[in-house]
């Protein structure tokens, strides 16, 4: 199977022995679970990421976690309760940067594992075309999406979660709601900076 320049090769790939410089010994597990020596490859320290955020758009994935029934229909949509930098609690989606030399599937898997744990068992999309693209600006009013830290271009995906969720890192809990429940509006009202719009677009996309 051909390997593109931005993919991590498996042992059976025909060009698995091709030299890739600092990424020669990187495996897909390093991106998803870390290298065992700290953060995943391509991670930036706070000073470097703040400098990058001030000078260029940053690529992100935004993930709407769902539970599906035996017919493949969305039965529940999830949201995270997370601790923000100022110590407050917010309701949010799974989101995170796409790291250097990381594929989109690896970015989705890594960010799901980061927030929901290693046994969440996300069903990664067969088609990497996002259901929408959300462009976050640090200046209020430029778009319906706002991020005070950066200009972020987020590819948005609906990802079914088949396993057990064990929230970790900055995630306190994951809460699920029936998309046809009256509670959905309450949940969405607690999301800020346009994340509620992403969920509504996701539910329209899956006809939920």
């Amino acid at each position: 199977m051909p390997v593109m320049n931005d993919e991590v090769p498996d042992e059976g790939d025909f060009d698995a022995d091709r030299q890739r410089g600092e990424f020669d010994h990187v495996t897909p597990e390093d991106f998803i679970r870390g290298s065992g020596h700290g953060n995943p490859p391509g991670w930036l320290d706070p000073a470097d990421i703040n400098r990058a955020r001030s000078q260029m758009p940053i690529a992100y994935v935004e993930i709407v976690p769902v539970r599906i029934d035996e017919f493949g229909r969305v039965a529940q949509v999830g949201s995270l309760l997370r601790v923000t930098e100022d110590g407050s609690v917010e309701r949010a989606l799974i989101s995170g940067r796409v790291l250097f030399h990381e594929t989109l599937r690896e970015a989705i898997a890594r960010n799901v594992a980061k927030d929901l744990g290693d046994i969440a068992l996300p069903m990664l999309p067969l088609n990497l075309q996002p259901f929408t693209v959300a462009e976050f600006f640090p200046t209020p009013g430029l778009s319906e999406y706002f991020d005070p830290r950066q200009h972020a271009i987020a590819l948005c995906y609906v990802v079914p979660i088949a396993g057990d969720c064990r929230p970790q890192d900055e995630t306190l809990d994951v809460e699920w709601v029936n998309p046809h429940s009256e509670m959905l509006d309450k949940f969405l009202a607690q999301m800020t900076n346009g994340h509620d719009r992403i969920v509504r677009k996701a539910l329209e996309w899956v006809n939920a």
Side-chain angles (χ1 to χ4, degrees):
M1 179 182 70
V3 175
M4 303 300 290
N5 291 334
D6 62 345
E7 291 181 337
V8 179
D10 292 324
E11 292 183 0
D13 292 334
F14 77 91
D15 62 349
D17 295 330
R18 180 168 63 84
Q19 296 298 305
R20 289 172 172 81
E22 63 178 308
F23 290 93
D24 280 348
H25 305 293
V26 172
T27 68
E29 287 72 23
D30 290 328
F31 283 110
I32 296 171
R33 299 183 178 87
S35 64
H37 305 289
N39 288 317
W43 194 261
L44 298 177
D45 63 36
D48 287 336
I49 185 58
N50 287 337
R51 186 180 305 111
R53 283 170 168 160
S54 69
Q55 296 176 345
M56 60 185 293
I58 306 295
Y60 263 69
V61 289
E62 289 274 347
I63 299 153
V64 180
V66 298
R67 299 282 197 188
I68 59 176
D69 63 18
E70 64 272 25
F71 298 106
R73 299 172 300 199
V74 172
Q76 294 179 311
V77 59
S79 60
L80 311 181
L81 294 179
R82 304 186 65 179
V83 178
T84 64
E85 293 181 357
D86 62 8
S88 60
V89 177
E90 68 176 3
R91 189 178 297 278
L93 298 175
I94 299 170
S95 65
R97 291 191 293 119
V98 180
L99 301 183
F100 181 69
H101 218 272
E102 180 179 51
T103 67
L104 287 174
R105 285 192 177 90
E106 289 164 350
I108 293 170
R110 176 178 57 80
N111 281 287
V112 170
K114 173 177 66 70
D115 286 330
L116 302 185
D118 287 337
I119 59 172
L121 303 181
M123 300 168 63
L124 301 184
L126 296 176
N127 187 338
L128 286 176
Q129 180 175 340
F131 68 84
T132 193
V133 176
E135 192 169 13
F136 291 82
F137 286 95
T139 303
L142 288 184
S143 83
E144 56 187 354
Y145 306 105
F146 171 67
D147 187 334
R149 304 168 302 167
Q150 62 195 341
H151 176 186
I153 300 173
L155 308 180
C156 303
Y157 297 94
V158 174
V159 177
I161 303 298
D164 294 328
C165 297
R166 297 182 179 177
Q168 55 188 10
D169 196 34
E170 298 173 348
T171 301
L172 300 176
D173 197 8
V174 56
E175 295 184 340
W176 302 91
V177 62
N178 187 309
H180 305 292
S181 167
E182 294 179 356
M183 289 295 295
L184 178 65
D185 288 336
K186 180 179 179 180
F187 275 37
L188 295 183
Q190 296 171 353
M191 291 184 169
T192 61
N193 301 333
H195 288 94
D196 58 319
R197 296 184 180 91
I198 293 176
V199 175
R200 292 192 186 279
K201 289 182 178 181
L203 294 177
E204 291 176 2
W205 185 69
V206 297
N207 296 318

